[in-house]
Amino acid sequence: MLKSIVSLFAALNANVNPGEIAHAFSCGILLGFMPKDNLLWWVVFVFILFIRINKPMYLIMVLIASTFAPVVDNLFDTVGYAFLTIPSLSGFFGNLLEIPFVGFTKFNNSVVMGSLLCGLAIYIPMYVIGRILVFLWRKHIAGWIRNTHLAKAFSKLPLIAKIADMVGDE
């Protein structure tokens, strides 16, 4: 985990495309909101691993969004229930449940469907926020932190030097 965090900060400061970091930010939030006990989560998780994004940011955002997901579960339940009870889609959902293994996705669970829909709805706004945060980090915050007395003292610690060497080898 420490190596992922170090890689994330290296990518934030390196010449990595900000779009890759912003997509990872958005994908991590999308997946972090979803309940983890279903096949749909694993399919989305593996699919996103094949996309060119910053993997450390992705995994960190999944963890962060997962901690906040229970707070908004009532919203997910309401949105999912409203979507799953649309009369014109009831036949479609019934047919989906008859397909083998589709039931393991638990798409018919209102919290799963609501979290997926909410995650998709906020994907683009979170992407824009992610791009802005990367810009602010690179333009203002990283330089300011690097010049503080605490950061200079912290960088002289042997463990930090070892971690920097570890990142430099990659």
Side-chain angles (χ1 to χ4, degrees):
M1 182 68 174
L2 182 62
K3 195 170 186 175
S4 293
I5 293 171
V6 170
S7 297
L8 170 64
F9 282 111
L12 284 172
N13 295 321
N15 214 5
V16 175
N17 183 354
E20 290 179 20
I21 298 171
H23 276 298
F25 183 78
S26 298
C27 289
I29 291 172
L30 167 75
L31 200 63
F33 280 167
M34 292 176 60
K36 305 341 172 233
D37 63 342
N38 58 71
L39 183 61
L40 183 62
W41 189 89
W42 288 102
V43 168
V44 173
F45 177 77
V46 171
F47 175 74
I48 292 174
L49 286 178
F50 287 107
I51 298 172
R52 186 179 179 139
I53 59 172
N54 184 275
K55 303 301 189 271
M57 173 63 90
Y58 170 60
L59 296 174
I60 289 169
M61 287 312 297
V62 167
L63 291 173
I64 291 171
S66 294
T67 58
F68 292 108
V71 174
V72 287
D73 268 351
N74 287 335
L75 172 68
F76 297 155
D77 184 42
T78 304
V79 170
Y81 183 78
F83 184 74
L84 290 170
T85 56
I86 296 173
S88 59
L89 293 176
S90 64
F92 173 70
F93 292 142
N95 290 337
L96 275 180
L97 283 173
E98 293 176 9
I99 299 172
F101 299 108
V102 172
F104 294 129
T105 63
K106 293 187 182 178
F107 76 91
N108 58 337
N109 181 320
S110 61
V111 175
V112 172
M113 182 59 74
S115 63
L116 178 64
L117 292 173
C118 288
L120 291 172
I122 66 168
Y123 188 90
I124 292 176
M126 289 295 111
Y127 174 81
V128 171
I129 290 171
R131 290 288 296 237
I132 291 169
L133 290 175
V134 170
F135 171 77
L136 291 174
W137 176 266
R138 289 181 177 175
K139 187 81 172 171
H140 302 289
I141 300 170
W144 177 78
I145 290 175
R146 219 177 285 123
N147 292 328
T148 62
H149 295 293
L150 182 63
K152 289 177 183 176
F154 192 67
S155 66
K156 292 179 183 177
L157 294 173
L159 177 64
I160 303 304
K162 196 174 211 179
I163 292 172
D165 290 340
M166 198 170 59
V167 172
D169 293 339
E170 290 179 359

